[in-house]
């Protein structure tokens, strides 16, 4: 299906107005046309016909590469379009009553109400209510998500469906310019702008094209010098097409489209191609601690006792946490069971004391007994009321834990401090290795957290980030980004909250979580539909991969020229300068087959490299020097050698089947 | 061969101290007293740092004036003093060609010096231009380096200050020293009447004398190459002894090699200088050895007092640097020897190249290398902490395209346009080489001649004159534009993700880029000329 469409598109793209955007392929098309005219004037000349056909194939192959790259996006866009149907919206009148209007009639600032089972008519910010929303249309994730007013989950996207409850939404985007519309336009590549590096490369390739136009143009009179036999126009065009960088010229836009597509496949929406490229350039990553580096909630990892056995402390701690529904509380039960096989059940007349901001303790009372766990100072105060003191051993343990960046909870029973629960922010598995990789890539990682400096330092050390910003306020974040930028660095960050918006707007690459607020989404240039903060690292790699693929294929393309010269020049001057036959290292059968082989190789190599262009050159997180060495070896030296072999093989084939 | 290796060692050894000295002279805040006199006399405001457009305008204006002055001087020399042989004014076409040639640091000579130019023209016109045209190359290089060094600013320095410093503090003292050494070897420096002698056969011969040593010194040091005598440094009075030959040959590459370090010291990264020098030597040494190898035993067109090796060394050096002085006849080189000299020019005069301009020429190649390599490591390419983006690539492409865009069409016309073809004395591939050489020499501001071609003809005088002007000044404009654009950018601090531009690997890549650009542009022409001739020899 995709292939059929791509095949059709590759012919439609022959329109010279479309070809003009790509100077290299435009020249090839002009050459194809010229050789066709030459053949029409002498239809008996099979050689010119073959050249002409292969030149047309060269253009078609390049168009096919682009069409294939676009094809995947187009299929995706079609699927998205289905979700963007016109639905009925309930718009609030000034008097507070609701009227029914089509969603296409909504304007920015309108307020609508959406009930369970209805589709959300436009992008917006939730004013009232909370609801579970099915966002599978855009994220592909079938589990519903909670959206509610206030906080950092207040943005909704047009085209998604409310599953339960209701929402009152202020529309933030006019119909037709919503998130879904932008997403469709992006995956379709409808108004794809060339990215800065692509533009620069395009200029360099145009430069090479002009250079070879000059070379071939001046070769015509040169061949006439001193009774020379001249050189036929068809051969000259063949030489020109072989020399200009058609390989990269033909695949350049496919590489760009495929790069964006790789982002889409990872559920990241780029608001501009520029942002993807900038991601590859980033040398500072600001990462939120919570969610990115740590799991986002503290977990109990150890019990410390004084007087009792550790297992008894574990039992008391479990008792105190029975009614604690927080992740921390649950982790205490888990730890007690997993490490000490302690499982407690609530005593019959148990009276649970919930956590309050006032006491900062929670626990349980039964049969005149009391167990409490809580912040160190609160529990210290609590035991002091009973005339007890926290022992030096426990005090020491509390200090140790705090120094290691953990959170100590004191455990007291009947007014006596008996143990300490060590709560720790658990660093995600494998994150340290990722940071090492980033460091090898030359990227500095900075952890941003609201924690105090001691805790922050401990986690930073454990996770292996290069630096951290503790007790971070939005202003400090902004300041930090500005400082790095004034030092010439490019900063990438992720954010979701409204208070992240200024920093997101300032950062060079800003990834907003789709679950975040509308403000954050507006300020960002990339949106992660999965709302996975770790994805920033993948985005950086995709950005780099995009550039590497372009660079590698450019090198390959130019390096190919050497072999093509050796194939075509001796052949072109076989009559007037027979001594040049010594340059025919490849021992190509005859002048016609030599020229034809070079042209065929030049066309086929485009097809051969389409998969690489679409998949991208693999990226490894090693330093620039190693990358350069490897890629020069593969694409530079390889590009030098490969056509010698390829042209020779093609020469063997076409002489065997008698084409030349 | 000893001479070859000794020269290479001396070039490498002397380049750094020389570069340090030049950098000290060219890149400083305070003015010397003698400079202040010049500024007061000319009304230069020394505190004005020029942006790239002002700098380029100053360069162009200065040389346009130079062009007019030299032309007028040549035309009116018959009425002016210091004209012992009473030469009439130079023919308009030849005068135009010569003026273009000397202001563009080419020193292509369509005339015989001692039989055409008065002493006044030689001294006030040609030697003066030898100094200032060389100085301009260094000035533009300094402006370019300052652009790379600057952060978010516009100023590239003041052309008039650079010009004054370069002429007074760099070129004059070195030339004085070399001139004195040459006088010690017997090169004339006089304003007396010509020597009249009786030859062995008993005939009377008049040998013109004049201010020779002073012109030879700067023509060697400033990569000019325009000799006092028609035979250039083959002439016994321009280059009398093996020692004078060694010194003159050494002088060809001395300042171009030092320029690598001047550039590196100005941008503040010493390793870059060594990297650029290494890239140049990586091409120079093998090609020069090849030239020496193929010239052994070929005495045609060579001076017995120098020998084949010293002649081949000079031939390679003079074409590598855009010097153009000769101590043997290049037309008589073996086909492969001629191939080496042609290739050296067709690389775009970036293997050493002209003083200053060779350096900014190779940096254009570095920018191409950096761009492609930068993409290959996955970052927007950067050189010395400056991002290389669309605008720079546009200007780099322009800068690199100018030379082939001048040379290739000129060759194309010269091989079929009957009057131009008539100027060639040989036929077949050798005749083709003669045309290619003439076009390459003018199109790269080299100025050496292959001979075998009547240069003083309308086509070569007029088209050649234009080509020399364009190839010199059309490259300066994009170079300064790049400097201006880079100056306005921030410095990106280096990290592990930054492409190292002074590693052996990058040097190898740079060499590959230079070879690929040069070879791909001229492979067909070289194939039809020297390579065909060589292969024909093999038969």
């Amino acid at each position: 299906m995709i292939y059929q469409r791509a095949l059709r598109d590759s012919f439609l793209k022959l329109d010279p107005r479309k070809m003009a955007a790509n100077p290299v392929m435009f020249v090839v098309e002009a050459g194809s046309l010229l050789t066709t005219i030459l053949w029409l004037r002498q239809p008996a000349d099979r050689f010119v016909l073959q050249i002409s056909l292969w030149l047309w194939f060269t253009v078609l192959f390049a168009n096919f590469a682009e069409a294939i790259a676009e094809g995947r996006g187009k299929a995706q866009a079609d699927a998205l379009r289905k979700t963007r149907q016109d639905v009925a919206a309930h718009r609030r009148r000034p008097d507070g009553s609701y009227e029914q209007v089509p969603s296409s009639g909504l304007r920015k600032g309108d307020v609508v109400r959406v009930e369970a089972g209805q589709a959300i008519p436009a992008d917006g910010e939730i004013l009232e209510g909370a609801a579970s929303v099915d966002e599978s249309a855009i994220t592909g994730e079938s589990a519903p998500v909670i959206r509610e007013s206030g906080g950092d989950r207040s943005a909704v996207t047009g085209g998604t469906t409310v599953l339960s409850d209701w929402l009152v939404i202020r529309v933030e985007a006019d119909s037709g310019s919503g998130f879904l519309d932008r997403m469709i336009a992006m995956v379709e590549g409808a108004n794809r702008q060339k990215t800065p590096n692509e533009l620069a490369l395009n200029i360099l390739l145009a430069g090479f094209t002009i250079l070879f136009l000059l070379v071939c143009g001046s070769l015509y009179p040169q061949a006439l010098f001193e009774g020379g036999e001249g050189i036929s126009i068809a051969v000259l065009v063949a030489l020109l097409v072989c020399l200009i960088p058609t390989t990269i010229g033909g695949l350049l836009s496919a590489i760009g489209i495929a790069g964006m597509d790789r982002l889409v496949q990872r559920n990241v929406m780029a608001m501009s191609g520029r942002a993807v490229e900038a991601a590859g350039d980033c040398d500072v990553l600001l990462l939120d601690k919570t969610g990115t580096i740590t799991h986002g909630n503290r977990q109990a990892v150890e019990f410390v006792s004084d007087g009792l056995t550790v297992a008894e402390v574990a039992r008391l701690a479990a008792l105190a946490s029975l009614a604690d529904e927080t992740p921390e509380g649950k982790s205490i039960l888990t730890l007690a069971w997993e490490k000490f096989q302690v499982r407690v059940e609530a005593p019959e007349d148990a009276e649970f004391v919930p956590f309050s901001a006032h006491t900062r303790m929670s626990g349980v009372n039964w049969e005149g007994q009391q167990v409490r766990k809580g912040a160190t100072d609160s529990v210290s105060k609590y035991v002091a009321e009973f005339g007890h003191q926290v022992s030096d051993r426990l005090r020491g343990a509390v200090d140790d834990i705090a120094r290691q960046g953990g959170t100590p909870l004191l455990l007291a029973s009947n007014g006596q401090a008996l143990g300490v629960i060590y709560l720790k922010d658990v660093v995600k598995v494998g994150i340290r290795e990722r940071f090492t990789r980033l460091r090898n890539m030359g990227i500095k990682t900075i952890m941003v957290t609201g924690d105090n400096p001691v805790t922050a330092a401990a986690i930073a050390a454990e996770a292996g980030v290069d630096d951290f910003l503790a007790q971070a306020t939005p202003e400090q974040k902004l300041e930090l980004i500005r400082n790095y930028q004034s030092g010439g660095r490019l900063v990438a960050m992720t954010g979701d909250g409204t208070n992240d918006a200024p920093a997101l707007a300032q950062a060079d690459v800003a990834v907003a979580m789709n679950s975040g607020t509308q403000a954050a989404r507006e300020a960002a240039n990339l949106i992660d539909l999965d709302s996975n903060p770790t994805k920033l690292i993948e985005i950086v790699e995709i950005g780099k991969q995009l550039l590497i693929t372009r660079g590698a294929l450019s090198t390959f393309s130019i390096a190919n020229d050497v072999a093509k010269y050796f194939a075509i020049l001796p052949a072109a001057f076989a009559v007037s300068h027979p001594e040049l036959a010594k340059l025919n290292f490849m021992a190509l059968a005859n002048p016609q087959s030599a020229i034809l082989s070079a042209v065929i190789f030049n066309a086929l190599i485009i097809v051969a490299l389409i998969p690489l262009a679409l998949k991208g050159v693999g990226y490894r997180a090693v330093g620039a020097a190693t990358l350069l060495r490897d890629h020069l070896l593969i694409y530079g030296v390889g590009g030098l050698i490969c056509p010698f072999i390829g042209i020779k093989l093609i020469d063997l084939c076409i002489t065997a089947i008698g084409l030349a | 061969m000893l001479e070859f290796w000794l020269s290479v060692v001396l070039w490498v050894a002397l380049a750094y101290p020389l570069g340090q000295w030049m950098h000290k002279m060219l890149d400083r805040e305070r003015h010397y007293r003698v400079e202040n006199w010049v500024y007061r006399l000319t009304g230069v405001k020394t505190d004005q740092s020029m942006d790239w457009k002002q700098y380029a305008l100053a360069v162009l204006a200065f040389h346009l004036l130079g062009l007019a002055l030299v032309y007028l001087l040549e035309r009116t020399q018959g009425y002016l003093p210091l004209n012992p042989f009473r030469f009439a004014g130079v023919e308009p076409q030849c005068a135009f060609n010569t003026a273009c040639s000397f202001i563009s640091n080419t020193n292509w000579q369509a005339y015989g010096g001692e039989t055409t130019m008065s002493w006044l023209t030689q001294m006030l016109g040609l030697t003066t231009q030898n100094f200032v045209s060389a100085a301009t190359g260094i000035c533009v290089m300094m402006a370019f380096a300052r652009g790379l060094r600057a952060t978010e600013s516009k100023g590239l320095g003041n052309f008039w200050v650079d010009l004054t410093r370069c002429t007074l503090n760099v070129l004059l003292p070195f030339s004085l020293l070399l001139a004195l050494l040459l006088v010690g070897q017997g090169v004339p420096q006089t304003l007396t009447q010509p020597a009249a002698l009786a030859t062995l056969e008993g005939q009377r011969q008049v040998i013109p004398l004049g201010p020779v040593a002073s012109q030879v010194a700067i023509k060697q040091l400033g990569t000019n190459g325009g000799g006092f005598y028609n035979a250039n440094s083959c002439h016994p009075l321009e280059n009398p002894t093996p020692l004078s030959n060694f010194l003159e040959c050494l002088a060809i590459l001395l300042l171009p090699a030092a320029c690598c370090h001047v550039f590196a010291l100005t941008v503040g990264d010493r390793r870059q200088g060594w990297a650029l020098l290494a890239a140049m030597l990586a091409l120079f040494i093998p090609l020069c050895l090849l030239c020496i190898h193929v010239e052994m035993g070929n005495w045609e067109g060579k001076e017995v007092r120098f020998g084949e090796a010293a002649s081949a060394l000079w031939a390679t050096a003079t074409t590598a640097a855009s010097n153009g002085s000769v101590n043997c006849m290049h037309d008589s080189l073996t086909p492969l020897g001629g191939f080496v000299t042609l290739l050296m020019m067709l690389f775009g005069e970036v293997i050493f190249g002209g003083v200053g301009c060779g350096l900014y020429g190779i940096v254009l190649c570095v920018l191409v290398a950096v761009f492609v390599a930068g993409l290959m490591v996955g970052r927007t390419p950067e050189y010395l902490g400056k991002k290389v983006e669309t605008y720079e690539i546009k200007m780099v492409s322009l800068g690199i395209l100018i030379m082939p865009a001048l040379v290739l069409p000129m060759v194309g016309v010269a091989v079929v346009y009957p009057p131009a073809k008539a100027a060639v004395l040989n036929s077949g591939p050798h005749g083709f080489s003669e045309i290619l050489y003439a076009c390459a020499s003018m199109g790269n501001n080299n100025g050496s001649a292959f001979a075998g071609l009547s240069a003083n003809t309308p086509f070569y005088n007029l088209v050649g004159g234009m080509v020399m002007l364009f190839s010199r000044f059309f490259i300066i404009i994009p170079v300064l534009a790049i400097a201006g654009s880079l100056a306005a950018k921030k410095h990106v601090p280096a990290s592990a993700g930054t492409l190292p531009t002074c590693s052996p690997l990058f040097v190898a890549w740079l060499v590959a880029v230079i070879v690929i650009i040069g070879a791909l542009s001229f492979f067909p022409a070289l194939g039809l000329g020297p390579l065909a001739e060589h292969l024909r020899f093999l038969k």
Side-chain angles (χ1 to χ4, degrees), chain A residues 99-124:
Chain A
E99 59 179 344
Q100 192 161 338
V101 293
S103 62
S104 55
L106 290 175
R107 290 288 165 267
K108 202 169 167 178
D110 287 350
V111 174
V112 294
R113 185 184 163 97
V114 188
E115 300 284 345
Q118 293 177 346
I120 296 173
D123 291 5

Side-chain angles (χ1 to χ4, degrees), chain B residues 298-313:
Chain B
N298 171 27
W299 280 99
E300 187 193 305
K302 296 193 177 65
E303 293 291 302
V304 181
R305 64 182 185 284
F306 306 141
E308 312 110 303
S311 302
L313 171 61

Side-chain angles (χ1 to χ4, degrees), chain A residues 196-197 199-201 203-204 207-208 210-212 214-215 218-219 221-226 280-283 439-442 485-490 544 547-548 550-552 554-555 558-559 561-562 565-566 569 573 576-580 582-583 619 623-625 627-629 631-632, chain B residues 368 371-373 375-381 387-390 393-394 397 401 404-405 408-409 411-413 415-416 421 424 426-429 431-432 435 490-500 505-506 509 516-517 519-521 523-525 527-528 531-533 535-536 538-539:
Chain A
N197 275 311
L199 214 58
L201 182 58
I203 288 170
L204 190 69
F208 271 111
I210 297 172
L211 179 67
F212 291 121
L214 285 166
V215 170
S218 76
L219 192 56
Q222 284 174 31
L224 292 171
F225 178 67
E226 286 292 328
D281 282 349
C282 276
D283 34 22
R439 199 167 305 118
N440 292 340
M441 287 154 68
Q485 284 175 334
S486 66
R489 290 175 180 273
L490 284 184
K544 284 190 179 296
L547 297 189
I548 292 175
R550 285 192 200 130
S554 303
T555 310
I558 295 293
D561 280 6
V562 177
Y565 259 137
F566 280 108
L569 269 198
F573 294 101
S576 58
H577 292 71
E579 63 274 7
L580 289 181
K582 290 208 183 70
L583 296 179
Y619 176 74
L627 271 184
L628 179 64
R629 189 198 60 208
H631 292 150
L632 276 183
Chain B
V368 173
F371 181 74
V372 179
L375 290 182
M376 271 195 284
V377 303
R379 277 252 293 233
T380 294
K387 283 207 152 72
V388 181
E389 291 167 297
T390 315
I393 288 299
K394 207 180 276 177
S397 305
L401 270 177
L408 285 169
V411 175
V413 173
V415 290
V416 287
K421 238 170 79 179
V424 192
N426 285 289
S427 62
F432 187 87
I435 294 174
K490 284 181 197 162
H491 271 278
V492 182
S495 71
T498 311
L499 178 80
L505 181 71
F506 185 80
W509 168 237
I516 288 228
I517 293 178
L520 291 184
S521 322
F523 190 72
L528 294 178
L531 286 182
E533 194 186 354
L535 295 170
R536 233 170 239 191
L538 288 183
K539 272 198 168 169

Side-chain angles (χ1 to χ4, degrees), chain A residues 157-170:
Chain A
T157 310
T160 57
T161 312
V162 174
L163 292 181
S164 67
D165 307 293
W166 53 267
L167 295 171
V168 173
I169 299 163
R170 186 180 60 233

Side-chain angles (χ1 to χ4, degrees), chain A residues 13-28:
Chain A
K13 282 170 189 287
L14 287 177
D15 183 345
R17 284 167 300 183
K18 283 182 189 155
M19 296 296 291
N22 184 342
V24 181
M25 294 322 287
F26 185 75
V27 169
V28 182

Side-chain angles (χ1 to χ4, degrees), chain A residues 222-507:
Chain A
Q222 284 174 31
L224 292 171
F225 178 67
E226 286 292 328
E229 305 283 321
I231 182 168
S232 85
I233 298 282
V235 171
L236 210 53
V237 171
L239 178 64
L240 174 67
V241 170
C242 286
L243 290 180
I244 61 176
T246 46
T247 313
I248 178 67
L251 295 173
L252 191 57
S253 58
I255 295 171
I257 297 166
M260 295 290 263
D261 192 50
R262 277 198 291 283
L263 272 187
V264 174
Q265 281 166 15
R266 282 175 182 72
N267 264 347
V268 176
M269 286 294 122
M271 295 300 125
S272 72
R274 190 180 283 262
V276 188
E277 241 177 34
D281 282 349
C282 276
D283 34 22
V284 176
L285 296 193
L286 293 194
L287 299 164
D288 270 331
K289 182 200 79 176
T290 309
T292 313
I293 296 169
T294 65
H295 283 291
N297 38 49
R298 292 167 298 181
Q299 293 176 5
V301 290
E302 204 184 322
F303 299 115
V304 181
S305 74
D306 186 21
L308 302 171
T309 65
V310 183
E312 278 173 291
V313 171
R315 198 181 64 84
L316 287 175
L319 267 175
S321 309
L322 267 179
D324 189 344
E325 286 294 321
T326 62
E328 286 91 346
K330 285 180 185 157
S331 79
I332 291 173
L333 292 180
T334 313
L335 181 73
W337 168 240
E338 284 180 353
K339 216 163 164 190
F340 303 99
Q341 282 74 47
V342 173
R343 181 170 276 175
V344 290
E345 294 199 357
E348 282 197 356
D349 57 343
E351 175 201 339
F352 290 103
V353 182
F355 177 86
S356 79
H358 179 63
T359 62
R360 298 172 69 209
M361 292 190 296
S362 63
V364 59
N365 299 337
W366 81 99
E367 294 173 2
Q369 298 208 53
Q370 292 190 355
V371 181
R372 292 284 184 279
K373 73 169 201 291
T376 320
D377 46 350
S378 322
V379 178
S380 300
K381 228 180 275 167
Y382 164 77
V383 296
E385 283 168 18
F386 289 82
H388 294 294
Q389 270 193 336
V390 180
S391 70
D392 287 347
R393 184 179 145 72
L394 290 182
R395 226 170 254 294
V398 163
D399 290 346
D400 275 349
I401 292 167
R403 211 172 305 122
Q404 290 167 39
T407 309
L409 289 185
L410 258 183
L411 185 72
S413 177
N414 301 330
Q416 217 175 345
L418 294 173
V420 180
I421 306 166
Y422 183 173
L423 290 183
K424 192 175 162 189
D425 223 351
V426 180
V427 171
K428 283 185 176 173
V429 181
I431 201 83
R432 201 186 168 84
E433 289 68 32
R434 286 201 111 154
F435 290 147
T436 312
R437 275 170 62 186
L438 286 171
R439 199 167 305 118
N440 292 340
M441 287 154 68
I443 295 171
K444 189 173 167 155
T445 45
I446 297 170
M447 182 182 86
V448 180
T449 171
D451 291 347
N452 65 58
V454 177
T455 312
I459 293 173
E462 193 183 342
V465 292
D466 296 305
D467 205 351
F468 64 87
L469 178 67
Q471 285 165 345
T473 61
E475 295 75 33
Q476 280 174 324
K477 259 194 200 176
L478 194 61
E479 184 67 26
L480 187 71
I481 295 174
R482 287 209 177 115
N483 278 344
Y484 275 112
Q485 284 175 334
S486 66
R489 290 175 180 273
L490 284 184
V491 183
M493 71 169 287
T494 50
D496 51 7
T498 302
N499 57 11
D500 282 332
L504 283 170
Q506 179 70 30

